[in-house]
Amino acid sequence: VPLSFQIIVDDDDSKVWSLYDAGPRSIRCPLIFLPPVSGTADVFFQQILALTGWGYRVIALQYPVYWDHLEFCDGFRKLLDHLQLDKVHLFGASLGGFLAQKFAEYTHKSPRVQSLILCNSFSDTSIFNQTWTANSGWLMPAFMLKKIVLGNFASGPLDPEMADGIDFMVDRLESLGQSELASRLTLNCQNSYVEPHKIRDIPVTIMDVFDQSALSTEAKEEMYKLYPNARRAHLKTGGNFPYLCRSAEVNLYIQIHLLQFHGTRYAAIDPSMVSAEELEVQKISLHTSNEQEEQ
């Protein structure tokens, strides 16, 4: 059963991190999920259920109200200290992926990030050309901010899983207050980019979809250029929220990514759960995904 916590690590009592921590506590290098602008910690419930069933420790987060990237990184570092986690794997979706990269860059002198999975993410906020919201977002009422976010959600005919995923995200979006939304949109649009030379040595998997998502082709190409050695996890479909509507594929790619750390002190899985059979299954899936890439 995932334990649900609320933690304050800053001097400011209003900055509350909400999180689910699930799986074996003995694991010291868990996988941490960072949500997109509209996301709350529970958008990753499909990952929490499946991965903890296989013996992984996973933590899903919801951010406090932070208005700039540095402030976020500082708060996140304090949170890891509080949880007594020296190094972690990060799965970041969209804005969450950008923040994951910024955090890896921020801690590059004494690294806290063991690896990155970047889902539908970006490396440069200028792709949104929305610096105006970054400067005036805090003034806008919640309904206008929600409209901005909803504008990026897919429209048109969708399969049932994708429609359900979008409904779920709209529901989560409704639960966020004005300052939560305004601060996340500010982080999403504030002029900033990732400095790749600072995080060159971190193993990265880039996960993206081939159907419609809020990410432009240019933003995707930029990510491939930035991380030429990254593994690529492509999903034919999945829209903006593949972790909700294509969870089996996403979970398999997460397993494949974490496989490289099995048997090391950075394993995110309980060693007794790594069976020869599971490794065999993963080798097969790795093999097929490599074949797909070569085609």
Side-chain angles (χ1 to χ4, degrees), residues 82-274:
H82 177 88
L83 296 170
Q84 297 178 323
L85 298 172
D86 179 34
K87 289 194 94 172
V88 292
H89 305 281
L90 297 179
F91 178 110
S94 191
L95 169 65
F98 182 73
L99 293 174
Q101 295 169 83
K102 291 304 281 182
F103 183 69
E105 177 189 294
Y106 171 80
T107 56
H108 79 282
K109 287 201 172 89
S110 58
R112 303 297 295 267
V113 179
Q114 184 58 31
S115 76
L116 290 168
I117 304 174
L118 305 171
C119 175
N120 281 346
S121 196
F122 51 90
S123 57
D124 186 342
T125 56
S126 66
I127 59 164
F128 297 105
N129 291 332
Q130 282 177 323
T131 16
W132 58 271
T133 38
N135 302 329
S136 60
W138 56 278
L139 291 169
M140 296 168 90
F143 79 91
M144 280 178 75
L145 296 171
K146 284 174 184 167
K147 224 167 145 173
I148 293 172
V149 177
L150 288 169
N152 288 320
F153 285 15
S155 51
L158 296 167
D159 67 46
E161 287 93 355
M162 287 175 72
D164 287 349
I166 288 177
D167 285 348
F168 186 78
M169 292 303 279
V170 170
D171 184 59
R172 300 329 298 139
L173 180 63
E174 283 304 320
S175 74
L176 295 172
Q178 194 274 349
S179 58
E180 287 175 295
L181 262 178
S183 66
R184 291 179 193 194
L185 280 167
T186 300
L187 292 176
N188 204 71
C189 303
Q190 202 168 53
N191 248 336
S192 179
Y193 57 88
V194 175
E195 298 175 57
H197 59 280
K198 291 186 176 168
I199 51 181
R200 237 202 308 261
D201 305 327
I202 297 176
V204 174
T205 290
I206 295 175
M207 187 182 292
D208 51 23
V209 296
F210 284 154
D211 60 354
Q212 68 174 137
S213 77
L215 265 201
S216 64
T217 314
E218 297 81 60
K220 286 184 194 178
E221 293 301 327
E222 193 52 44
M223 289 290 281
Y224 303 150
K225 269 202 254 129
L226 206 56
Y227 301 106
N229 305 322
R231 297 175 173 203
R232 297 194 192 173
H234 297 308
L235 291 94
K236 284 199 182 74
T237 58
N240 284 319
F241 317 118
Y243 36 90
L244 280 169
C245 60
R246 298 292 182 267
S247 61
E249 284 177 77
V250 168
N251 296 345
L252 181 65
Y253 279 131
I254 291 173
Q255 279 179 286
I256 292 169
H257 172 89
L258 292 172
L259 187 59
Q260 58 192 309
F261 305 103
H262 286 9
T264 73
R265 51 188 283 234
Y266 302 117
I269 191 171
D270 177 350
S272 67
M273 300 283 283
V274 185

Side-chain angles (χ1 to χ4, degrees), residues 63-79:
Y63 329 115
V65 172
Y66 287 125
W67 295 97
D68 69 65
H69 302 123
L70 199 62
E71 190 190 18
F72 166 84
C73 289
D74 191 46
F76 189 38
R77 183 181 51 79
K78 288 178 188 157
L79 179 72

Side-chain angles (χ1 to χ4, degrees), residues 41-54:
D42 45 12
V43 300
F44 298 113
F45 72 93
Q46 308 260 29
Q47 285 64 48
I48 296 173
L49 290 173
L51 292 164
T52 52
W54 293 319

